[in-house]
Amino acid sequence: MRDLNALLNNQLLFGLSETQLQMLADVAEEKGYSTGETIFREGEMGNSLVIIVSGKADLIKKKKDGSEVILASCSKGAFFGEMTLINVEPRSATIRATEDTEVIFLMNTALGDIFQTERELFIVLLINMTRILSKRLRQTNNRLMET
């Protein structure tokens, strides 16, 4: 990854030193998507965490009747695909770019290597991810109570 600035001010990476951010940047894979292009599909096996560097994307779930529901709209700094780090199951939703979007992929294998060699970095990532997932769950609970 060329630009370390893409990782700055990201809540998933909060508390990491510049050296630790550089370690992640060194293993990150960049990719661009055009408007309407699918980043990944519901049902695919996942192998990475994805962070939006620029642009926007929708998190989409298919209903039983085949129609799609937008669960969330994501922009710079948002991440998704974290569930594949926790349990090895197919992707739970589709992510589709709603404008030209640049993302970085942190592959499970690279994160596994970081777990082996840089435990502190890995622990900070897990704590941040847990906080964010907890916040998302709380927001989902609140939305369910409103309906």
Side-chain angles (χ1 to χ4, degrees):
M1 176 176 183
R2 293 168 279 144
D3 186 10
L4 184 61
N5 288 324
L7 300 178
L8 297 174
N9 301 318
N10 183 294
Q11 49 180 142
L12 178 63
L13 308 176
F14 177 77
L16 295 179
S17 68
E18 190 172 321
T19 302
Q20 290 171 322
L21 287 172
Q22 188 60 56
M23 286 179 202
L24 289 177
D26 290 345
V27 299
E29 298 177 19
E30 294 177 273
K31 188 164 182 199
Y33 293 89
S34 300
T35 302
E37 198 171 356
T38 298
I39 298 171
F40 59 69
R41 292 188 195 294
E42 181 177 351
E44 291 178 343
M45 287 308 294
N47 63 355
S48 60
L49 170 85
V50 182
I51 300 172
I52 297 178
V53 174
S54 66
K56 294 181 180 175
D58 282 343
L59 175 72
I60 301 163
K61 187 83 174 151
K62 266 199 176 178
K63 293 170 70 174
K64 290 180 183 178
D65 66 6
S67 63
E68 295 181 336
V69 175
I70 296 173
L71 300 177
S73 293
C74 307
S75 58
K76 180 180 178 177
F79 69 92
F80 40 85
E82 71 282 351
M83 289 164 51
T84 66
L85 302 176
I86 299 165
N87 57 3
V88 182
E89 290 187 24
R91 301 275 191 196
S92 65
T94 295
I95 304 292
R96 187 175 302 131
T98 56
E99 60 184 55
D100 290 350
T101 301
E102 296 287 325
V103 302
I104 55 171
F105 288 86
L106 293 172
M107 307 306 287
N108 290 2
T109 52
L111 291 170
D113 291 343
I114 288 171
F115 173 75
Q116 294 297 323
T117 60
E118 299 294 331
R119 290 279 167 98
E120 181 181 331
L121 187 162
F122 195 80
I123 289 168
V124 170
L125 282 177
L126 283 181
I127 289 170
N128 288 342
M129 189 181 307
T130 302
R131 287 181 179 144
I132 295 164
L133 290 174
S134 176
K135 181 179 177 182
R136 289 178 184 175
L137 180 59
R138 186 177 307 274
Q139 290 169 338
T140 299
N141 287 344
N142 289 337
R143 275 185 287 188
L144 285 172
M145 294 308 296
E146 293 170 1
T147 58

